[in-house]
Amino acid sequence: MTVLLEASNLSVNIDTPRGDLHVVEDVSFSLGEGEILGVVGESGCGKSTTVRSLIGLLPRGGRVTGGSALFDGVDLFAQRPASLRAIRGDQIGFVAQNPFGLLNPVLPIAKQFRTLIRAHRGGLGKAECASMAREALLRTGIHEPDRVLHGYAHQLSGGMAQRVVIAMATILDPRLLISDEPTTALDVTIQRQVLELMRDVVRLGNRSMILVTHDLGVVAQFCDSVIVMYSGSVVESGKVAEVFTHPEHPYTRGLLASVPGGGRGETLPPGGPPARFEPARGCQFAPRCSRAETLCSVEPPPTVSSLGGDRRVRCHFVEIEEATHGAPAG
Ligand SMILES: Nc1ncnc2c1ncn2[C@@H]1O[C@H](COP(=O)(O)OP(=O)(O)OP(=O)(O)O)[C@@H](O)[C@H]1O
């Protein structure tokens, strides 16, 4: 599979009133063309920050402190804001949890489509833009695109607004769609429809998607590969079928066992990923891990990878079949 995105040793800090927060540390993953990658982990483990850093949409005070993100060979972190803006929207589409945060409340939807299209395909007339927008909206299941185009964001329901955002994010046929908890704010009844819609748009064009979600069922149904994050680091990654049937990291096992019918093993003890104002020393999961020994809190765990590197687990006490010890990263 051709690699579309290769993130290596990505680290992100956020400057807060209490100091510099180490939100993402040494995260590595790759995404193939045509692949859907799920990013899972408990709230606060750095999922959003990881994906937002790729497209320069970090919160105020956030900055990439290390690593690279090669998108089709181009390092996204080495781009000036203007070139990153050119890539975003055109080659990388973004869908967020709250669609209203991405729509302008005071402009008609048609004008927002037009601005987007012209920013990347200058010279297109009003009618051409409207016709592209109409088609994109129809593709996302909006049957009366003209009504939506002539209206404003506040006239839309959450589900309709998310469809509009998906239409905008995919109208220029980007090679990568980044989707950050796209259905969390929507009614349960339409969550699945929206996920199916995104999957179909991505699969139809053989495009790729990164899907951030809390929901392991969604990963099982929609993703090819998965990275499991804990406290800013990737603790396990690989093909969904392998990771979910043979989870190796104690955290992945705990996450899966916490889902009803999710399998064997102990559920996660209470708590959550700790906020870190210092770079990590040992394994961040050690305080909640039933297998932890003294070593775990003093030495950073190695990344153990399968032959070929498809499967990676970051733990002192894990052996993968045919395991080799890889570089201590991501
Ligand atoms: N603007 C900010 N200021 C201070 N801390 C922040 C800011 N944004 C994120 N954080 C902190 O960074 C950590 C990671 O946040 P992030 O939103 O990336 O996690 P997440 O895994 O996506 O969580 P969720 O699933 O709840 O969205 C959290 O501890 C969060 O409190």
Side-chain angles (χ1 to χ4, degrees), residues 14 16 21 23 42-49 59 181 214:
I14 297 179
T16 74
L21 198 58
V23 177
E42 288 163 295
S43 192
C45 69
K47 304 181 296 293
S48 293
T49 307
E181 308 249 15
H214 280 102

Side-chain angles (χ1 to χ4, degrees), residues 9-14 20-22 24-26 58 62-67 77:
N9 312 107
L10 161 58
S11 296
V12 180
N13 284 8
I14 297 179
D20 223 12
L21 198 58
H22 293 250
V24 174
E25 220 165 336
D26 210 12
L58 285 173
R63 67 185 191 287
V64 173
T65 54
F77 298 154

